[in-house]
Amino acid sequence: MDSGYGITVLTLFPDLVREYFRTSIVGKAVDRGALVPRVVDIRDFARDRHRTCDDAPYGGGAGMVLMAEPLASALDSVDAKAQHVVFPTPSGLPFRQVDAARLSRKDGLVLVCGRYEGIDQRIVDEYVDDEYSIGDYVLSSGELAAMVIIDAVYRLRDGMLRSESIREESFQDGLLEYPHYTRPETFRSRSVPEVLLSGHHARIVRWRREQQLIRTARNRPDLLRHVQLDEAERKLTESIRDKESDDECNTGG
Ligand code: SAM
């Protein structure tokens, strides 16, 4: 286990984020010092007695913008320029497993949670290293997105999980994961696939790879472009994709 991974979150909703760091495996990682969270309330750096942190956008338009001054003071208070700063935003690059892996190799992270229409662009220009979107939808503020990013990142740190669990997960080898089963052997007349009971390791490995290919071809054919397939695998995935597009045509989808 390496030394504690520092994660600083700048937010207007500190309680929401603190609760996350107290919960489940993350909470345990914090208890044993593997994760060192710091939650900073942006309002503590507001300049007026109403603790105002937002103002109307220059140029007009709907909504408010998180002001540069309190954000800059909050960032300076944690020495953000000496660290890796991430801003979750719908305008960012899509956040992927490879990004989580890259961030897990940093010494630590600072996450800035946006709110309203977003944050003053000058903060992005001056402090932010990465802008990431967690999906093509708009959340009302950045805390959930920050927690998604933290969660994907910290579990890839050495010693957090068994390395084989991580190796076999979705996206690690460019494919989605195979299906899982546990006891009982039969549940509501649905049985566990016979191959998994066979004890035949090579057959199980083959079956799992095939299931990965089938799932990926059905749900995320875009991922297959980056995966090396042998001739049989290529035929299998093409037949699934052909069937999926036939089904779409037949249902008018
Ligand atoms: N006006 C912005 C736009 O159209 O892109 C949306 C702002 S959103 C209401 C407020 C904040 O929520 C953002 O600044 C960002 O921090 C966070 N947020 C919302 N959706 C997100 C997403 N898909 N990925 C990452 N962060 C998101």
Side-chain angles (χ1 to χ4, degrees):
M1 169 76 63
D2 45 6
S3 63
Y5 186 68
I7 298 188
T8 302
V9 182
L10 272 61
T11 170
L12 292 172
F13 303 101
D15 291 344
L16 179 60
V17 181
R18 283 194 192 111
E19 195 51 43
Y20 166 72
F21 283 118
R22 281 198 279 263
T23 307
S24 187
I25 307 177
V26 183
K28 291 197 179 107
V30 173
D31 288 345
R32 58 171 201 277
L35 263 191
V36 184
R38 185 168 178 188
V39 180
V40 176
D41 187 344
I42 299 165
R43 285 200 195 283
D44 289 346
F45 297 86
R47 302 231 164 145
D48 64 352
R49 64 191 177 87
H50 302 292
R51 294 166 44 95
T52 309
C53 286
D54 59 310
D55 208 337
Y58 277 115
M64 302 294 270
V65 176
L66 241 169
M67 297 158 77
E69 284 169 331
L71 268 178
S73 303
L75 283 158
D76 291 341
S77 78
V78 298
D79 199 13
K81 283 192 178 164
Q83 303 183 63
H84 196 82
V85 179
V86 175
F87 174 44
T89 165
S91 325
L93 293 172
F95 182 67
R96 299 180 191 281
Q97 189 71 6
V98 286
D99 305 301
R102 187 176 63 83
L103 294 182
S104 76
R105 293 190 291 270
K106 303 276 176 204
D107 293 333
L109 291 183
V110 175
L111 290 110
V112 183
C113 301
R115 175 79 178 159
Y116 318 110
E117 289 309 314
I119 70 177
D120 191 303
Q121 181 61 31
R122 290 164 291 186
I123 293 296
V124 179
D125 298 341
E126 192 165 331
Y127 290 91
V128 172
D129 297 296
D130 290 317
E131 294 177 78
Y132 283 124
S133 165
I134 62 157
D136 293 345
Y137 41 78
V138 178
L139 305 167
S140 47
S141 67
E143 286 71 20
L144 293 175
M147 289 189 270
V148 165
I149 292 172
I150 295 166
D151 214 272
V153 169
Y154 92 86
R155 61 197 297 287
L156 298 179
R157 297 277 296 173
D158 283 350
M160 288 291 179
L161 297 180
R162 285 168 55 208
S163 54
E164 61 275 26
S165 315
I166 290 176
R167 254 201 318 274
E168 292 177 8
E169 280 183 328
S170 294
F171 309 115
Q172 283 305 123
D173 58 2
L175 296 173
L176 303 183
E177 203 191 35
Y178 51 79
H180 297 285
Y181 297 87
T182 185
R183 283 186 293 185
E185 234 178 86
T186 303
F187 170 71
R188 298 186 182 162
S189 58
R190 293 169 190 269
S191 296
V192 172
E194 180 279 324
V195 59
L196 298 179
L197 308 173
S198 69
H200 192 302
H201 182 65
R203 275 185 62 209
I204 293 173
V205 170
R206 255 200 320 278
W207 180 84
R208 285 181 166 164
R209 170 86 179 172
E210 194 179 283
Q211 293 299 312
Q212 284 190 280
L213 292 165
I214 293 170
R215 267 193 178 173
T216 311
R218 269 196 198 128
N219 298 342
R220 291 293 305 278
D222 55 303
L223 295 177
L224 290 170
R225 279 202 303 273
H226 310 288
V227 179
Q228 198 109 43
L229 303 178
D230 65 25
E231 187 56 22
E233 291 177 338
R234 200 180 48 74
K235 283 197 175 128
L236 171 68
T237 55
E238 277 173 10
S239 72
I240 291 162
R241 280 151 73 178
D242 291 346
K243 185 173 173 315
E244 294 290 305
S245 53
D246 284 353
D247 289 350
E248 261 175 42
C249 290
N250 293 337
T251 56

